Amino acid sequence: DAVELMSVLLAAMTAGVVVSVASMVAGLEGAVGPKGEWIGIYYNRNSLAPVAALGAFASVALLADACRRGDRRRAAVLVACTMLHLVVALGTRSETTVAACVIGLAVALLVRGAASGAARGLAGRAWTAVIWAVVVLPWVLALLARWFGRFTRPFGIGGRENLWMASVDGFLE
């Protein structure tokens, strides 16, 4: 069952995030990197960030289910969980994880759009493909390019800025 899977995923990711936040609040050595990036109990910021991102995705999926069922108390807890995970993900300053989340969300929406287009038949699939190819994908890539241009200069992603920008430039062309 998808709700059970998301619940287990959320519990596991939340445990890692909460212990990481506690380690930072307690001032444990290595919990915060030299440039202020959040590391928590993990080896580096790029290890904590995916945990927080997966927790955010799981809590949003469960939030949608809670809203469908009209469970306001569960929805309120899940909104708080989502906010915790998003704040921690941003606190890591992991640009790789944020880019992966944006791309993953675009792919998920593409798959959903293709599935709904398939339900409408060949014409629906064609229009779905055109909309994604002409509107959505270039918009997502332009957003990533703008984001990388704005944020990689002061902090950087471990010397990989040029590789990322070359990839984004290639997609935009």
Side-chain angles (χ1 to χ4, degrees):
D1 170 56
V3 171
E4 185 176 347
L5 175 65
M6 289 297 111
S7 297
V8 170
L9 179 64
L10 179 59
M13 300 304 106
T14 301
V17 165
V18 167
V19 173
S20 290
V21 169
S23 73
M24 292 182 283
V25 169
L28 295 180
E29 184 179 342
V32 177
K35 296 180 182 174
E37 68 276 16
W38 295 357
I39 297 170
I41 61 170
Y42 296 91
Y43 181 69
N44 61 41
R45 65 189 174 129
N46 288 324
S47 297
L48 173 57
V51 170
L54 283 173
F57 278 128
S59 61
V60 167
L62 290 170
L63 178 60
D65 179 66
C67 290
R68 271 193 302 275
R69 296 174 190 249
D71 189 343
R72 291 178 153 207
R73 178 176 289 163
R74 189 168 149 237
V77 169
L78 289 166
V79 165
C81 251
T82 302
M83 297 308 295
L84 169 67
H85 285 92
L86 289 175
V87 166
V88 170
L90 292 172
T92 66
R93 299 184 189 173
S94 175
E95 295 172 345
T96 303
T97 297
V98 174
C101 288
V102 170
I103 292 168
L105 184 59
V107 169
L109 291 173
L110 175 63
V111 168
R112 183 174 173 93
S116 69
R120 292 189 304 267
L122 183 59
R125 283 190 298 247
W127 277 110
T128 299
V130 167
I131 289 169
W132 275 97
V134 174
V135 178
V136 177
L137 190 56
W139 178 80
V140 168
L141 293 173
L143 180 68
L144 281 174
R146 188 171 330 129
W147 184 75
F148 278 118
R150 185 173 300 152
F151 293 110
T152 57
R153 301 304 166 242
F155 191 76
I157 52 177
R160 294 175 285 177
E161 297 95 350
N162 292 335
L163 295 174
W164 275 101
M165 290 310 298
S167 296
V168 170
D169 289 344
F171 278 118
L172 291 176
E173 289 175 2

